[in-house]
Amino acid sequence: ARQTGQRVIGVVENMGPFTASDGSVVDLFGTGGGSEVAERLSRGQESPVPVLASIPLSIDLRKGGDAGTPVVLARPEDPAARAIAILADAVVARGRSLAGRSLGVDVR
């Protein structure tokens, strides 16, 4: 994103911990990866790059992706759907700004 002149607004960690039907949590890919990436991206920046969300592994998310049906519509109670909805709300709440960006307009 930075190589194309965009500002990184945050990190979204995917394949987070899976919660089984018995309530047990399985961390297939370890923990802390999203935080580590956010920390690395924050170095030398004016403001820190936050972790915006951790999207857990989800069978319903996978099934919805295969079927072309968004999990947030088909199974809004699914942990991945809830995390995606919270992420969407956070991104929308940030608003958009062109401050500091070149618009490529010639004022002649």
Side-chain angles (χ1 to χ4, degrees), residues 32-60:
S35 296
E36 184 177 330
V37 169
E39 180 183 321
R40 287 182 184 181
L41 289 171
S42 296
R43 292 181 193 150
Q45 299 301 305
E46 292 177 16
S47 58
V49 175
V51 175
L52 296 174
S54 178
I55 311 298
L57 285 170
S58 161
I59 293 170
D60 288 329

Side-chain angles (χ1 to χ4, degrees), residues 12-107:
V12 177
E13 179 179 46
N14 67 344
M15 299 193 302
F18 171 77
T19 303
S21 58
D22 67 358
S24 61
V25 176
V26 181
D27 231 342
L28 293 174
F29 299 102
T31 60
S35 296
E36 184 177 330
V37 169
E39 180 183 321
R40 287 182 184 181
L41 289 171
S42 296
R43 292 181 193 150
Q45 299 301 305
E46 292 177 16
S47 58
V49 175
V51 175
L52 296 174
S54 178
I55 311 298
L57 285 170
S58 161
I59 293 170
D60 288 329
L61 177 62
R62 195 255 326 143
K63 286 180 180 177
D66 290 348
T69 306
V71 69
V72 294
L73 298 178
R75 297 289 308 255
E77 73 285 352
D78 181 79
R82 289 195 309 264
I84 292 167
I86 291 168
L87 168 62
D89 289 342
V91 171
V92 168
R94 292 184 58 86
R96 294 185 63 168
S97 172
L98 296 175
R101 297 210 40 212
S102 172
L103 299 178
V105 176
D106 189 356
V107 293

